[in-house]
PDB file of all heavy atoms in Angstrom:
ATOM      1  N   HIS O   1     102.342 102.564  88.671  1.00 94.00           N
ATOM      2  CA  HIS O   1     101.614 101.311  88.458  1.00 94.00           C
ATOM      3  C   HIS O   1     100.379 101.545  87.593  1.00 94.00           C
ATOM      4  O   HIS O   1     100.090 100.762  86.680  1.00 94.00           O
ATOM      5  CB  HIS O   1     101.204 100.693  89.796  1.00 94.00           C
ATOM      6  CG  HIS O   1     100.657  99.310  89.661  1.00 94.00           C
ATOM      7  ND1 HIS O   1     101.340  98.185  90.082  1.00 94.00           N
ATOM      8  CD2 HIS O   1      99.505  98.849  89.112  1.00 94.00           C
ATOM      9  CE1 HIS O   1     100.628  97.104  89.794  1.00 94.00           C
ATOM     10  NE2 HIS O   1      99.505  97.484  89.221  1.00 94.00           N
ATOM     11  N   THR O   2      99.661 102.630  87.873  1.00 95.00           N
ATOM     12  CA  THR O   2      98.476 102.937  87.077  1.00 95.00           C
ATOM     13  C   THR O   2      98.850 103.221  85.632  1.00 95.00           C
ATOM     14  O   THR O   2      98.154 102.793  84.698  1.00 95.00           O
ATOM     15  CB  THR O   2      97.724 104.137  87.680  1.00 95.00           C
ATOM     16  OG1 THR O   2      97.383 103.832  89.034  1.00 95.00           O
ATOM     17  CG2 THR O   2      96.464 104.453  86.896  1.00 95.00           C
ATOM     18  N   ALA O   3      99.952 103.947  85.431  1.00 95.00           N
ATOM     19  CA  ALA O   3     100.400 104.244  84.070  1.00 95.00           C
ATOM     20  C   ALA O   3     100.702 102.959  83.307  1.00 95.00           C
ATOM     21  O   ALA O   3     100.369 102.829  82.122  1.00 95.00           O
ATOM     22  CB  ALA O   3     101.628 105.148  84.108  1.00 95.00           C
ATOM     23  N   ARG O   4     101.317 101.989  83.984  1.00 94.00           N
ATOM     24  CA  ARG O   4     101.592 100.710  83.320  1.00 94.00           C
ATOM     25  C   ARG O   4     100.292  99.960  83.025  1.00 94.00           C
ATOM     26  O   ARG O   4     100.145  99.311  81.983  1.00 94.00           O
ATOM     27  CB  ARG O   4     102.509  99.856  84.197  1.00 94.00           C
ATOM     28  CG  ARG O   4     103.923 100.416  84.342  1.00 94.00           C
ATOM     29  CD  ARG O   4     104.857  99.374  84.928  1.00 94.00           C
ATOM     30  NE  ARG O   4     106.149  99.925  85.271  1.00 94.00           N
ATOM     31  CZ  ARG O   4     107.131 100.184  84.395  1.00 94.00           C
ATOM     32  NH1 ARG O   4     106.938  99.935  83.108  1.00 94.00           N
ATOM     33  NH2 ARG O   4     108.294 100.684  84.798  1.00 94.00           N
ATOM     34  N   ALA O   5      99.332 100.021  83.942  1.00 93.00           N
ATOM     35  CA  ALA O   5      98.055  99.343  83.721  1.00 93.00           C
ATOM     36  C   ALA O   5      97.320  99.935  82.521  1.00 93.00           C
ATOM     37  O   ALA O   5      96.669  99.211  81.757  1.00 93.00           O
ATOM     38  CB  ALA O   5      97.185  99.448  84.973  1.00 93.00           C
ATOM     39  N   LEU O   6      97.421 101.250  82.342  1.00 93.00           N
ATOM     40  CA  LEU O   6      96.792 101.893  81.193  1.00 93.00           C
ATOM     41  C   LEU O   6      97.357 101.339  79.886  1.00 93.00           C
ATOM     42  O   LEU O   6      96.634 101.158  78.902  1.00 93.00           O
ATOM     43  CB  LEU O   6      96.991 103.401  81.258  1.00 93.00           C
ATOM     44  CG  LEU O   6      96.159 104.155  82.295  1.00 93.00           C
ATOM     45  CD1 LEU O   6      96.586 105.623  82.342  1.00 93.00           C
ATOM     46  CD2 LEU O   6      94.682 104.046  81.982  1.00 93.00           C
ATOM     47  N   ALA O   7      98.664 101.079  79.889  1.00 91.00           N
ATOM     48  CA  ALA O   7      99.307 100.556  78.682  1.00 91.00           C
ATOM     49  C   ALA O   7      99.017  99.075  78.477  1.00 91.00           C
ATOM     50  O   ALA O   7      98.873  98.607  77.342  1.00 91.00           O
ATOM     51  CB  ALA O   7     100.814 100.782  78.762  1.00 91.00           C
ATOM     52  N   ASN O   8      98.883  98.332  79.571  1.00 90.00           N
ATOM     53  CA  ASN O   8      98.762  96.877  79.480  1.00 90.00           C
ATOM     54  C   ASN O   8      97.332  96.374  79.335  1.00 90.00           C
ATOM     55  O   ASN O   8      97.108  95.284  78.788  1.00 90.00           O
ATOM     56  CB  ASN O   8      99.391  96.221  80.718  1.00 90.00           C
ATOM     57  CG  ASN O   8     100.888  96.394  80.757  1.00 90.00           C
ATOM     58  OD1 ASN O   8     101.529  96.518  79.720  1.00 90.00           O
ATOM     59  ND2 ASN O   8     101.458  96.404  81.958  1.00 90.00           N
ATOM     60  N   PHE O   9      96.347  97.123  79.841  1.00 90.00           N
ATOM     61  CA  PHE O   9      94.976  96.615  79.874  1.00 90.00           C
ATOM     62  C   PHE O   9      93.961  97.592  79.287  1.00 90.00           C
ATOM     63  O   PHE O   9      92.988  97.963  79.952  1.00 90.00           O
ATOM     64  CB  PHE O   9      94.574  96.281  81.322  1.00 90.00           C
ATOM     65  CG  PHE O   9      95.542  95.380  82.036  1.00 90.00           C
ATOM     66  CD1 PHE O   9      96.186  95.813  83.188  1.00 90.00           C
ATOM     67  CD2 PHE O   9      95.801  94.108  81.561  1.00 90.00           C
ATOM     68  CE1 PHE O   9      97.080  94.993  83.852  1.00 90.00           C
ATOM     69  CE2 PHE O   9      96.697  93.281  82.217  1.00 90.00           C
ATOM     70  CZ  PHE O   9      97.345  93.717  83.365  1.00 90.00           C
ATOM     71  N   PRO O  10      94.132  98.001  78.034  1.00 87.00           N
ATOM     72  CA  PRO O  10      93.105  98.848  77.393  1.00 87.00           C
ATOM     73  C   PRO O  10      92.010  97.985  76.773  1.00 87.00           C
ATOM     74  O   PRO O  10      91.918  97.860  75.555  1.00 87.00           O
ATOM     75  CB  PRO O  10      93.912  99.592  76.331  1.00 87.00           C
ATOM     76  CG  PRO O  10      94.965  98.603  75.921  1.00 87.00           C
ATOM     77  CD  PRO O  10      95.283  97.765  77.140  1.00 87.00           C
ATOM     78  N   LEU O  11      91.178  97.365  77.621  1.00 88.00           N
ATOM     79  CA  LEU O  11      90.312  96.295  77.145  1.00 88.00           C
ATOM     80  C   LEU O  11      88.888  96.729  76.799  1.00 88.00           C
ATOM     81  O   LEU O  11      88.388  96.421  75.720  1.00 88.00           O
ATOM     82  CB  LEU O  11      90.260  95.172  78.192  1.00 88.00           C
ATOM     83  CG  LEU O  11      91.624  94.546  78.534  1.00 88.00           C
ATOM     84  CD1 LEU O  11      91.479  93.514  79.629  1.00 88.00           C
ATOM     85  CD2 LEU O  11      92.247  93.920  77.291  1.00 88.00           C
ATOM     86  N   THR O  12      88.204  97.422  77.705  1.00 91.00           N
ATOM     87  CA  THR O  12      86.777  97.662  77.503  1.00 91.00           C
ATOM     88  C   THR O  12      86.428  99.118  77.219  1.00 91.00           C
ATOM     89  O   THR O  12      85.352  99.396  76.703  1.00 91.00           O
ATOM     90  CB  THR O  12      85.975  97.239  78.750  1.00 91.00           C
ATOM     91  OG1 THR O  12      86.271  98.136  79.834  1.00 91.00           O
ATOM     92  CG2 THR O  12      86.317  95.812  79.154  1.00 91.00           C
ATOM     93  N   GLY O  13      87.294 100.034  77.587  1.00 89.00           N
ATOM     94  CA  GLY O  13      86.963 101.451  77.467  1.00 89.00           C
ATOM     95  C   GLY O  13      86.189 101.982  78.654  1.00 89.00           C
ATOM     96  O   GLY O  13      85.962 103.187  78.775  1.00 89.00           O
ATOM     97  N   GLU O  14      85.752 101.082  79.551  1.00 93.00           N
ATOM     98  CA  GLU O  14      85.105 101.500  80.793  1.00 93.00           C
ATOM     99  C   GLU O  14      86.144 101.514  81.903  1.00 93.00           C
ATOM    100  O   GLU O  14      86.922 100.573  82.054  1.00 93.00           O
ATOM    101  CB  GLU O  14      83.969 100.552  81.161  1.00 93.00           C
ATOM    102  CG  GLU O  14      82.761 100.639  80.269  1.00 93.00           C
ATOM    103  CD  GLU O  14      81.590  99.863  80.857  1.00 93.00           C
ATOM    104  OE1 GLU O  14      80.972 100.367  81.805  1.00 93.00           O
ATOM    105  OE2 GLU O  14      81.324  98.756  80.360  1.00 93.00           O
ATOM    106  N   THR O  15      86.123 102.581  82.684  1.00 94.00           N
ATOM    107  CA  THR O  15      87.136 102.727  83.726  1.00 94.00           C
ATOM    108  C   THR O  15      86.481 102.849  85.100  1.00 94.00           C
ATOM    109  O   THR O  15      85.259 102.950  85.230  1.00 94.00           O
ATOM    110  CB  THR O  15      87.991 103.985  83.483  1.00 94.00           C
ATOM    111  OG1 THR O  15      87.185 105.157  83.697  1.00 94.00           O
ATOM    112  CG2 THR O  15      88.566 103.986  82.073  1.00 94.00           C
ATOM    113  N   LEU O  16      87.319 102.863  86.125  1.00 94.00           N
ATOM    114  CA  LEU O  16      86.815 103.059  87.482  1.00 94.00           C
ATOM    115  C   LEU O  16      86.008 104.346  87.603  1.00 94.00           C
ATOM    116  O   LEU O  16      85.078 104.424  88.411  1.00 94.00           O
ATOM    117  CB  LEU O  16      87.990 103.108  88.463  1.00 94.00           C
ATOM    118  CG  LEU O  16      88.457 101.800  89.091  1.00 94.00           C
ATOM    119  CD1 LEU O  16      89.643 102.057  89.998  1.00 94.00           C
ATOM    120  CD2 LEU O  16      87.323 101.133  89.860  1.00 94.00           C
ATOM    121  N   ALA O  17      86.373 105.355  86.828  1.00 95.00           N
ATOM    122  CA  ALA O  17      85.641 106.628  86.880  1.00 95.00           C
ATOM    123  C   ALA O  17      84.168 106.447  86.537  1.00 95.00           C
ATOM    124  O   ALA O  17      83.334 107.275  86.930  1.00 95.00           O
ATOM    125  CB  ALA O  17      86.286 107.641  85.939  1.00 95.00           C
ATOM    126  N   ASP O  18      83.831 105.382  85.815  1.00 95.00           N
ATOM    127  CA  ASP O  18      82.440 105.095  85.472  1.00 95.00           C
ATOM    128  C   ASP O  18      81.688 104.401  86.611  1.00 95.00           C
ATOM    129  O   ASP O  18      80.494 104.120  86.474  1.00 95.00           O
ATOM    130  CB  ASP O  18      82.381 104.201  84.227  1.00 95.00           C
ATOM    131  CG  ASP O  18      82.996 104.862  83.007  1.00 95.00           C
ATOM    132  OD1 ASP O  18      82.726 106.053  82.794  1.00 95.00           O
ATOM    133  OD2 ASP O  18      83.742 104.175  82.283  1.00 95.00           O
ATOM    134  N   ARG O  19      82.384 104.117  87.708  1.00 94.00           N
ATOM    135  CA  ARG O  19      81.784 103.407  88.839  1.00 94.00           C
ATOM    136  C   ARG O  19      82.038 104.194  90.133  1.00 94.00           C
ATOM    137  O   ARG O  19      82.857 103.805  90.961  1.00 94.00           O
ATOM    138  CB  ARG O  19      82.361 101.992  88.955  1.00 94.00           C
ATOM    139  CG  ARG O  19      82.106 101.109  87.744  1.00 94.00           C
ATOM    140  CD  ARG O  19      80.617 100.762  87.624  1.00 94.00           C
ATOM    141  NE  ARG O  19      80.372  99.829  86.519  1.00 94.00           N
ATOM    142  CZ  ARG O  19      80.096 100.200  85.283  1.00 94.00           C
ATOM    143  NH1 ARG O  19      80.045 101.493  84.968  1.00 94.00           N
ATOM    144  NH2 ARG O  19      79.882  99.299  84.342  1.00 94.00           N
ATOM    145  N   PRO O  20      81.344 105.317  90.323  1.00 96.00           N
ATOM    146  CA  PRO O  20      81.609 106.161  91.502  1.00 96.00           C
ATOM    147  C   PRO O  20      81.390 105.452  92.831  1.00 96.00           C
ATOM    148  O   PRO O  20      82.075 105.749  93.810  1.00 96.00           O
ATOM    149  CB  PRO O  20      80.634 107.336  91.327  1.00 96.00           C
ATOM    150  CG  PRO O  20      79.619 106.873  90.343  1.00 96.00           C
ATOM    151  CD  PRO O  20      80.315 105.904  89.450  1.00 96.00           C
ATOM    152  N   HIS O  21      80.449 104.497  92.887  1.00 96.00           N
ATOM    153  CA  HIS O  21      80.248 103.759  94.136  1.00 96.00           C
ATOM    154  C   HIS O  21      81.509 102.966  94.499  1.00 96.00           C
ATOM    155  O   HIS O  21      81.856 102.855  95.690  1.00 96.00           O
ATOM    156  CB  HIS O  21      79.062 102.800  94.010  1.00 96.00           C
ATOM    157  CG  HIS O  21      77.730 103.478  94.084  1.00 96.00           C
ATOM    158  ND1 HIS O  21      77.404 104.413  95.048  1.00 96.00           N
ATOM    159  CD2 HIS O  21      76.618 103.354  93.312  1.00 96.00           C
ATOM    160  CE1 HIS O  21      76.165 104.829  94.873  1.00 96.00           C
ATOM    161  NE2 HIS O  21      75.670 104.212  93.821  1.00 96.00           N
ATOM    162  N   MET O  22      82.170 102.409  93.495  1.00 97.00           N
ATOM    163  CA  MET O  22      83.390 101.647  93.757  1.00 97.00           C
ATOM    164  C   MET O  22      84.508 102.567  94.228  1.00 97.00           C
ATOM    165  O   MET O  22      85.279 102.212  95.127  1.00 97.00           O
ATOM    166  CB  MET O  22      83.804 100.889  92.493  1.00 97.00           C
ATOM    167  CG  MET O  22      84.980  99.948  92.679  1.00 97.00           C
ATOM    168  SD  MET O  22      84.634  98.622  93.857  1.00 97.00           S
ATOM    169  CE  MET O  22      86.189  97.704  93.785  1.00 97.00           C
ATOM    170  N   ILE O  23      84.605 103.741  93.650  1.00 97.00           N
ATOM    171  CA  ILE O  23      85.636 104.693  94.066  1.00 97.00           C
ATOM    172  C   ILE O  23      85.422 105.098  95.527  1.00 97.00           C
ATOM    173  O   ILE O  23      86.357 105.122  96.340  1.00 97.00           O
ATOM    174  CB  ILE O  23      85.630 105.931  93.156  1.00 97.00           C
ATOM    175  CG1 ILE O  23      86.051 105.544  91.736  1.00 97.00           C
ATOM    176  CG2 ILE O  23      86.552 107.021  93.708  1.00 97.00           C
ATOM    177  CD1 ILE O  23      85.902 106.667  90.729  1.00 97.00           C
ATOM    178  N   ARG O  24      84.169 105.420  95.871  1.00 97.00           N
ATOM    179  CA  ARG O  24      83.885 105.800  97.250  1.00 97.00           C
ATOM    180  C   ARG O  24      84.154 104.640  98.207  1.00 97.00           C
ATOM    181  O   ARG O  24      84.647 104.836  99.326  1.00 97.00           O
ATOM    182  CB  ARG O  24      82.431 106.267  97.371  1.00 97.00           C
ATOM    183  CG  ARG O  24      82.201 107.653  96.799  1.00 97.00           C
ATOM    184  CD  ARG O  24      80.837 108.202  97.185  1.00 97.00           C
ATOM    185  NE  ARG O  24      79.755 107.522  96.479  1.00 97.00           N
ATOM    186  CZ  ARG O  24      79.269 107.940  95.317  1.00 97.00           C
ATOM    187  NH1 ARG O  24      79.768 109.016  94.721  1.00 97.00           N
ATOM    188  NH2 ARG O  24      78.277 107.289  94.735  1.00 97.00           N
ATOM    189  N   ALA O  25      83.857 103.421  97.767  1.00 97.00           N
ATOM    190  CA  ALA O  25      84.105 102.253  98.604  1.00 97.00           C
ATOM    191  C   ALA O  25      85.599 102.041  98.837  1.00 97.00           C
ATOM    192  O   ALA O  25      86.031 101.738  99.950  1.00 97.00           O
ATOM    193  CB  ALA O  25      83.484 101.012  97.966  1.00 97.00           C
ATOM    194  N   LEU O  26      86.393 102.197  97.798  1.00 98.00           N
ATOM    195  CA  LEU O  26      87.843 102.064  97.947  1.00 98.00           C
ATOM    196  C   LEU O  26      88.380 103.100  98.930  1.00 98.00           C
ATOM    197  O   LEU O  26      89.222 102.791  99.785  1.00 98.00           O
ATOM    198  CB  LEU O  26      88.526 102.215  96.586  1.00 98.00           C
ATOM    199  CG  LEU O  26      88.384 101.047  95.619  1.00 98.00           C
ATOM    200  CD1 LEU O  26      88.747 101.480  94.198  1.00 98.00           C
ATOM    201  CD2 LEU O  26      89.274  99.880  96.051  1.00 98.00           C
ATOM    202  N   ALA O  27      87.888 104.320  98.824  1.00 98.00           N
ATOM    203  CA  ALA O  27      88.334 105.374  99.734  1.00 98.00           C
ATOM    204  C   ALA O  27      87.928 105.058 101.170  1.00 98.00           C
ATOM    205  O   ALA O  27      88.683 105.330 102.116  1.00 98.00           O
ATOM    206  CB  ALA O  27      87.771 106.726  99.299  1.00 98.00           C
ATOM    207  N   ALA O  28      86.747 104.469 101.345  1.00 97.00           N
ATOM    208  CA  ALA O  28      86.301 104.098 102.690  1.00 97.00           C
ATOM    209  C   ALA O  28      87.210 103.038 103.297  1.00 97.00           C
ATOM    210  O   ALA O  28      87.578 103.108 104.478  1.00 97.00           O
ATOM    211  CB  ALA O  28      84.858 103.592 102.641  1.00 97.00           C
ATOM    212  N   VAL O  29      87.602 102.041 102.488  1.00 98.00           N
ATOM    213  CA  VAL O  29      88.494 100.992 102.966  1.00 98.00           C
ATOM    214  C   VAL O  29      89.848 101.580 103.346  1.00 98.00           C
ATOM    215  O   VAL O  29      90.409 101.263 104.409  1.00 98.00           O
ATOM    216  CB  VAL O  29      88.658  99.896 101.889  1.00 98.00           C
ATOM    217  CG1 VAL O  29      89.757  98.903 102.289  1.00 98.00           C
ATOM    218  CG2 VAL O  29      87.342  99.163 101.671  1.00 98.00           C
ATOM    219  N   LYS O  30      90.391 102.450 102.504  1.00 98.00           N
ATOM    220  CA  LYS O  30      91.707 103.032 102.774  1.00 98.00           C
ATOM    221  C   LYS O  30      91.678 103.927 104.013  1.00 98.00           C
ATOM    222  O   LYS O  30      92.636 103.972 104.788  1.00 98.00           O
ATOM    223  CB  LYS O  30      92.194 103.820 101.553  1.00 98.00           C
ATOM    224  CG  LYS O  30      92.396 102.973 100.304  1.00 98.00           C
ATOM    225  CD  LYS O  30      93.446 101.898 100.526  1.00 98.00           C
ATOM    226  CE  LYS O  30      93.560 100.977  99.324  1.00 98.00           C
ATOM    227  NZ  LYS O  30      94.587  99.930  99.527  1.00 98.00           N
ATOM    228  N   CYS O  31      90.583 104.653 104.191  1.00 98.00           N
ATOM    229  CA  CYS O  31      90.442 105.504 105.365  1.00 98.00           C
ATOM    230  C   CYS O  31      90.393 104.656 106.632  1.00 98.00           C
ATOM    231  O   CYS O  31      91.064 104.962 107.628  1.00 98.00           O
ATOM    232  CB  CYS O  31      89.188 106.360 105.238  1.00 98.00           C
ATOM    233  SG  CYS O  31      88.922 107.497 106.619  1.00 98.00           S
ATOM    234  N   ALA O  32      89.594 103.594 106.605  1.00 98.00           N
ATOM    235  CA  ALA O  32      89.486 102.719 107.768  1.00 98.00           C
ATOM    236  C   ALA O  32      90.835 102.082 108.098  1.00 98.00           C
ATOM    237  O   ALA O  32      91.218 101.962 109.277  1.00 98.00           O
ATOM    238  CB  ALA O  32      88.442 101.636 107.504  1.00 98.00           C
ATOM    239  N   ALA O  33      91.573 101.676 107.066  1.00 98.00           N
ATOM    240  CA  ALA O  33      92.880 101.062 107.291  1.00 98.00           C
ATOM    241  C   ALA O  33      93.851 102.060 107.907  1.00 98.00           C
ATOM    242  O   ALA O  33      94.613 101.716 108.819  1.00 98.00           O
ATOM    243  CB  ALA O  33      93.434 100.524 105.976  1.00 98.00           C
ATOM    244  N   ALA O  34      93.850 103.304 107.420  1.00 98.00           N
ATOM    245  CA  ALA O  34      94.752 104.320 107.968  1.00 98.00           C
ATOM    246  C   ALA O  34      94.455 104.565 109.443  1.00 98.00           C
ATOM    247  O   ALA O  34      95.370 104.679 110.273  1.00 98.00           O
ATOM    248  CB  ALA O  34      94.624 105.624 107.171  1.00 98.00           C
ATOM    249  N   ARG O  35      93.178 104.653 109.790  1.00 98.00           N
ATOM    250  CA  ARG O  35      92.806 104.881 111.182  1.00 98.00           C
ATOM    251  C   ARG O  35      93.193 103.695 112.062  1.00 98.00           C
ATOM    252  O   ARG O  35      93.688 103.862 113.177  1.00 98.00           O
ATOM    253  CB  ARG O  35      91.303 105.152 111.275  1.00 98.00           C
ATOM    254  CG  ARG O  35      90.905 106.498 110.698  1.00 98.00           C
ATOM    255  CD  ARG O  35      89.409 106.686 110.668  1.00 98.00           C
ATOM    256  NE  ARG O  35      89.048 108.034 110.210  1.00 98.00           N
ATOM    257  CZ  ARG O  35      87.815 108.415 109.914  1.00 98.00           C
ATOM    258  NH1 ARG O  35      86.812 107.557 110.027  1.00 98.00           N
ATOM    259  NH2 ARG O  35      87.571 109.650 109.516  1.00 98.00           N
ATOM    260  N   ALA O  36      92.957 102.472 111.558  1.00 98.00           N
ATOM    261  CA  ALA O  36      93.320 101.283 112.321  1.00 98.00           C
ATOM    262  C   ALA O  36      94.834 101.198 112.502  1.00 98.00           C
ATOM    263  O   ALA O  36      95.322 100.883 113.600  1.00 98.00           O
ATOM    264  CB  ALA O  36      92.794 100.035 111.618  1.00 98.00           C
TER     265      ALA O  36
END
């Protein structure tokens, strides 16, 4: 899915990697969901 998104949405040149707070937040949500 990510590979397809790379091909379909090369819009701004800014990626999730430029937003470490968002990455950590996503991981927190996924961790909480796995535990629940």
Side-chain angles (χ1 to χ4, degrees):
H1 189 109
T2 303
R4 292 194 189 282
L6 286 174
N8 292 332
F9 308 119
L11 301 177
T12 69
E14 289 191 76
T15 69
L16 270 179
D18 298 316
R19 299 291 184 269
H21 284 313
M22 186 63 178
I23 294 173
R24 285 192 288 269
L26 287 164
V29 171
K30 297 299 175 180
C31 182
R35 289 174 175 170

